Amino acid sequence: MATCYVVGAGDFTARDFAPVAGDCVIAADAGYGALQAIGIKPHLLVGDFDSLAVRPTDVPVLAFPPEKDDTDMGIALSEGWKRGYRDFALYGADGGRVDHYLANLSLLGGLSRRGANAWLIGSVFDAYAVTDATLTLPARALGTVVSVFCHGERATGVTLRGLKYPLNMATLTCDHPLGVSNEYAAHKASVTVESGTLLVLVALSPKVR
């Protein structure tokens, strides 16, 4: 399925950034600079241009006032959704201001609840969201940190397999981070939730603690 790559103004890593024909690349404000640095021209640039000094003229632009009800990343994701994309890869979505990182994780959970497949590619952690389904975790070395959080008031039927601290049909809530700081105990691991949405953060290596 075609993927919508959305690049924000946070810390950018080009890991697994490989758009092909049919994919869409959207820059959110200063995310345009990260794409420029690797020689990629986005299909669309959106934002209020508070962090991008010069507005480019070589790509389609949707400009918004700073006084708006959504972040630049949120607007970019909405534009991808309008274009029919349901697989989203978020880049430049962590680092920098912690409030924007939390906002991006919130957007990740919202996409999952709408039926999209979305993940955040970070410099130290990747983040995933899963709703009423099973998420097969990416291959990582044994001992690599995995944290699972409830996104919403309650998530039920939570089962963790292949991790050091397994759960079986557990209930997670938003005010008790029971799933924090787990780790790979097998090369194949998964997270299941029967009802609700989970955010799953996966470190890139066991060195991240």
Side-chain angles (χ1 to χ4, degrees), residues 42-119:
H43 297 96
L44 178 67
L45 168 61
V46 305
D48 54 21
F49 299 95
D50 63 345
S51 56
L52 186 63
V54 178
R55 188 178 304 186
T57 59
D58 61 340
V59 297
V61 172
L62 285 179
F64 295 84
E67 297 81 8
K68 58 188 189 304
D69 293 330
D70 208 347
T71 64
D72 293 333
M73 179 68 78
I75 291 170
L77 292 170
S78 294
E79 290 299 322
W81 185 275
K82 290 177 186 177
R83 286 159 171 75
Y85 290 90
R86 297 299 180 264
D87 280 10
F88 294 88
L90 282 63
Y91 283 80
D94 68 339
R97 285 172 46 180
V98 67
D99 54 343
H100 277 285
Y101 181 42
L102 290 173
N104 292 333
L105 291 175
S106 182
L107 290 168
L108 202 67
L111 284 169
S112 179
R113 272 197 287 274
R114 293 172 71 186
N117 181 31
W119 60 101

Side-chain angles (χ1 to χ4, degrees), residues 149-158 170-174 193-198:
F149 300 97
C150 176
H151 187 268
E153 184 176 354
R154 184 179 299 270
T156 61
V158 177
T171 295
L172 298 186
T173 62
C174 60
V193 55
E194 288 199 342
S195 179
T197 300
L198 299 174

Side-chain angles (χ1 to χ4, degrees), residues 1-5 16-25 40 43 85:
M1 186 174 290
T3 299
C4 181
Y5 291 82
D16 297 331
F17 187 88
V20 297
D23 291 342
C24 180
V25 179
I40 298 291
H43 297 96
Y85 290 90

Side-chain angles (χ1 to χ4, degrees), residues 106-155:
S106 182
L107 290 168
L108 202 67
L111 284 169
S112 179
R113 272 197 287 274
R114 293 172 71 186
N117 181 31
W119 60 101
L120 186 157
I121 297 86
S123 54
V124 179
F125 275 83
D126 289 340
Y128 305 85
V130 56
T131 301
D132 304 344
T134 294
L135 171 69
T136 299
L137 299 182
R140 293 286 192 271
L142 300 185
T144 299
V145 172
V146 179
S147 289
V148 180
F149 300 97
C150 176
H151 187 268
E153 184 176 354
R154 184 179 299 270

